[in-house]
Amino acid sequence: MKCVIAGGNVKVLGRAVHSLSRIGDELYVEPTESGLSLRAVNSSRSGFASFLFAPLFFQLYEPGSAGPDTELFRCKVHMKSFLGIFRSLPSLEKSVGKCLILLKPQASRLVLQLHCKHGVTKTHNLAFQECERLQAVFDIQRCTSHLCAPARVLAEAVVHFPPTLAEVTLGTGPGGKISLRNYVEDEAEPSKTMVTELWLAEDEFQSVDVAPGSHITFCLKEFRGLLSFAEASNLPLAIHFDEPGRPVIFTLDDTVLEVHLVLATLSDLQGSSQPPSTNGVSHLPAPPDDFTDDLESYMAAMETGEGGSGRAPSPTFPLRHPRPAESQPQEEEEEEEEGAVPGTPPHKKFRSLFFGSVMTPGRPGLATTQEVLAEDSEGES
């Protein structure tokens, strides 16, 4: 693969990498005939993002050649290594005139050259790992609610929430109004909890087609990252969602760019005898028998490697109720909180509301095709 990015598009690429860095620790690079795809997924498989840059985005784009029975080469690199090249966005705009990206499978190197002013050339050689395709399977047409608004409107709305806030609830109200509210767990003491809620009128959106009374709760960190990119690019942001517990899909569309951010949402107990919580989200019931199948119908891990088909299915650990276990020692609770993944539900009891733990016995960290979002098969080798 060989591609050349010129002018202001170098900064656009840098913004995309900054947005993806809020999702996962690895960057998946996949050249295709439709353009260059950059993707990331977080450790808990509750968030997936994809940036597809069309060939028109580049001054030169050569995806490489593939045989009749082979696919184009794809790889993954450490996010920190790639992000370090585009760390200073103002510096990119002022000093970099062109960026060259070369993928060299024989040398196991991803080469990035920044051609700067005064004849200065910075060359970065990044080690990579060959990987299988990372793909989240979802269908926007199956979502019952759709919103579209200028990114500036949503960015000005979330600025009222503290940077440390982990989750936010988006809901609908009478007259087409849309609300944003910080998520508060049921166990929190009302006297010690500060609730921030704001309402956006229907005329602030470009389009509103939502189910009355619907609401979803999702992680705010990844959403902020996409908002920053959309606002800087002056692109409208579309939101597609269904009932609580099903993924929410954020999209950006342009002539040379296509962006998808898919986030898990907090499950809600429908028709329960328990009173609803202050934010409309109550305790999670025991999962039904078809829980995994229902999620797989919306988003499923997809593996294109040869070894994926013969693998035995792994057991799915059931979701737990979001209440602390009184019998567990204090040390174990502290270890759970320390093991939380930044940008995902902060501790295990809350993370399980987004996704059940689906692991292969005896091989922690290896996901299976029963997982909801995406995976690669590097752990199998």
Side-chain angles (χ1 to χ4, degrees):
M1 180 200 71
K2 178 181 180 181
C3 57
V4 178
I5 309 166
N9 285 352
V10 178
K11 189 175 181 180
V12 175
L13 177 64
R15 291 197 196 105
V17 176
H18 277 256
S19 180
L20 289 167
S21 68
R22 297 197 177 208
I23 304 295
D25 296 329
E26 293 178 321
L27 179 67
Y28 291 76
V29 181
E30 181 178 352
T32 67
E33 296 296 336
S34 303
L36 179 62
S37 175
L38 302 179
R39 302 174 183 179
V41 62
N42 63 12
S43 299
S44 62
R45 299 300 198 258
S46 62
F48 168 85
S50 171
F51 284 72
L52 177 62
F53 298 93
L56 290 176
F57 178 82
F58 305 92
Q59 188 180 64
L60 171 67
Y61 180 71
E62 298 176 355
S65 58
D69 298 326
T70 60
E71 296 181 336
L72 291 173
F73 189 84
R74 63 181 72 92
C75 66
K76 64 179 181 180
V77 298
H78 287 294
M79 184 67 74
K80 288 184 178 180
S81 301
F82 205 97
L83 179 63
I85 302 174
F86 302 93
R87 177 70 66 181
S88 177
L89 295 179
S91 176
L92 288 175
E93 188 175 23
K94 293 179 181 179
S95 61
V96 178
K98 186 169 59 175
C99 176
L100 171 65
I101 302 178
L102 292 172
L103 182 58
K104 299 181 177 180
Q106 295 81 7
S108 298
R109 287 293 182 270
L110 180 65
V111 181
L112 284 89
Q113 282 187 349
L114 300 180
H115 296 263
C116 308
K117 294 180 179 180
H118 311 295
V120 177
T121 301
K122 300 179 181 179
T123 302
H124 304 266
N125 291 276
L126 306 182
F128 65 77
Q129 287 182 317
E130 186 177 358
C131 64
E132 299 298 334
R133 177 174 299 170
L134 180 73
Q135 177 65 53
V137 180
F138 53 88
D139 186 3
I140 293 178
Q141 301 302 322
R142 294 185 59 185
C143 296
T144 57
S145 298
H146 306 271
L147 297 171
C148 185
R152 175 187 53 82
V153 173
L154 297 174
E156 292 176 352
V158 300
V159 77
H160 296 284
F161 297 108
T164 56
L165 180 65
E167 298 85 27
V168 67
T169 297
L170 183 148
T172 61
K177 293 182 178 180
I178 305 299
S179 70
L180 288 172
R181 183 186 182 116
N182 62 311
Y183 173 75
V184 180
E185 290 190 76
D186 293 342
E187 299 90 3
E189 298 182 19
S191 60
K192 297 182 180 180
T193 302
M194 181 181 71
V195 177
T196 301
E197 183 176 20
L198 55 93
W199 289 86
L200 300 174
E202 184 178 5
D203 57 9
E204 296 191 68
F205 293 82
Q206 295 179 354
S207 64
V208 176
D209 181 15
V210 295
S214 59
H215 65 272
I216 52 171
T217 300
F218 54 89
C219 288
L220 186 57
K221 178 184 177 182
E222 292 90 340
F223 182 56
R224 287 187 194 269
L226 182 62
L227 268 183
S228 299
F229 178 88
E231 186 179 17
S233 304
N234 196 26
L235 293 174
L237 177 64
I239 307 174
H240 314 272
F241 61 95
D242 201 353
E243 61 187 26
R246 298 207 175 195
V248 56
I249 306 162
F250 305 91
T251 61
L252 300 173
D253 287 311
D254 190 54
T255 55
V256 297
L257 179 66
E258 183 178 331
V259 182
H260 289 88
L261 172 64
V262 186
L263 297 178
T265 62
L266 186 66
S267 297
D268 189 18
L269 179 60
Q270 300 291 339
S272 172
S273 59
Q274 298 180 4
S277 64
T278 56
N279 67 342
V281 180
S282 55
H283 285 290
L284 183 68
D289 295 336
D290 60 347
F291 175 77
T292 304
D293 294 335
D294 180 59
L295 286 175
E296 282 185 336
S297 68
Y298 223 86
M299 300 178 69
M302 181 177 177
E303 202 173 63
T304 59
E306 296 179 356
S309 59
R311 188 194 314 167
S314 301
T316 301
F317 296 98
L319 300 182
R320 294 167 291 175
H321 291 277
R323 63 172 182 269
E326 299 178 356
S327 60
Q328 291 182 340
Q330 184 68 23
E331 293 79 10
E332 183 176 345
E333 294 180 0
E334 293 177 354
E335 290 178 1
E336 288 186 347
E337 294 182 355
E338 292 176 358
V341 180
T344 57
H347 42 74
K348 292 184 179 179
K349 69 172 184 176
F350 193 76
R351 182 165 60 220
S352 66
L353 295 180
F354 281 75
F355 289 94
S357 300
V358 187
M359 299 296 178
T360 301
R363 300 183 66 180
L366 180 61
T368 73
T369 55
Q370 289 180 318
E371 288 196 62
V372 179
L373 269 174
E375 74 156 296
D376 63 88
S377 61
E378 283 296 303
E380 284 295 298
S381 57

